Amino acid sequence: MSGIWVLLSLIFISVAGPLSKGEKAHVAGIDSEALKLTKNITEVSSCPEGLHREHQFCCLPCLPGERKTSDCKHDGGKPECVFCIEGKEYTDTRHHSDKCIRCSTCDEEHGLEVEQNCTRTQNTKCRCKSNFFCNSSPCEHCNPCTTCEHGIIEKCSPTSNTKCKGSRSHSNSLWALLILLIPIILIIYKVVKSQHGKKKKGYHNSEASNDEGRQLNLTDVDLGKYIPSIAELMKITQVKEFVRKNGIEEAKIDDIMHDNLHETAEQKVQLLRSWYQSHGKKNAYCTLTKNLPKALAEKICDIVTKDITNERENANLQNENENLV
């Protein structure tokens, strides 16, 4: 019996040996093919320095002032390129794009003027107009130079405001006047407080509760009809910064700016409308006011609340007239 088991073991070993070798040979074949494929992919995807992969060929770039219209036809060839539109578009480096970049505009409403016109190979250069300055980089708007009452220490330049004489003495005189007025102000304050304290306290409590109620009512207010009024209160730089922070892509901002050249008011309206359409009505008011300076947010609140109050008063008056009839 033991002899039979030994015989079976020898048969198994003799069969298993060739199978094992066959599997190893098969795996080795697969690894070889994988290495060949990887090598081919590497050869296809890489191009010599200065060339760019365009489908199966390595192509030269278009020159500054051009854009690509079709790929090259052989390795080392140049694609078909056409000129950008003079005065409207440019490219300032060698590239492989099928688009030119739109020329920037100099916003006259914010004190800018053209220093150098846009060409096919260079963007517009802007500078501050006479009697305006800008001390930030990049400069998107210029501020008017200060006019001095008591003489000039340093004249206004394109990058710095006027330095005036006598500003310290003028400030000191204001402080002296304020010190003289403080006792009078305190006396008036105490008289008014003693006579109207209770009434004033009740008024403020009522006003605070009204403010809270208005904030709740404004949470989902439809800002659509208020956008032109809101745009009038904001500078173009404030509008661009707000929409950029709240989801509007730079390409969309650029399109709106160039579709309304030299019309800053319309640029602001269209930028805010684009943001409102993408955001939706819900919490739009809160998003807007929380991202703006307090003084500006309060002005927007006044516009909206006054309009809503007037609408409610008109509705109440109409209901009363209908009840009388």
Side-chain angles (χ1 to χ4, degrees), residues 34-54:
L35 289 172
K36 289 180 181 179
L37 181 60
T38 303
K39 184 178 179 182
N40 290 338
I41 290 172
T42 303
E43 290 175 354
V44 168
S45 60
S46 61
C47 284
E49 185 176 357
L51 300 181
H52 180 74
R53 170 67 58 187
E54 301 289 355

Side-chain angles (χ1 to χ4, degrees), residues 211-223 226 281 283-286 300-302 304-305 308 312:
D211 285 343
E212 291 176 1
R214 285 187 296 182
Q215 289 295 335
L216 291 173
N217 292 334
L218 295 179
T219 300
D220 293 329
V221 68
D222 184 1
L223 290 180
Y226 303 112
K281 178 180 176 182
N283 291 326
Y285 174 82
C286 294
I300 293 171
C301 179
D302 288 340
V304 178
T305 51
I308 292 176
R312 289 177 178 175

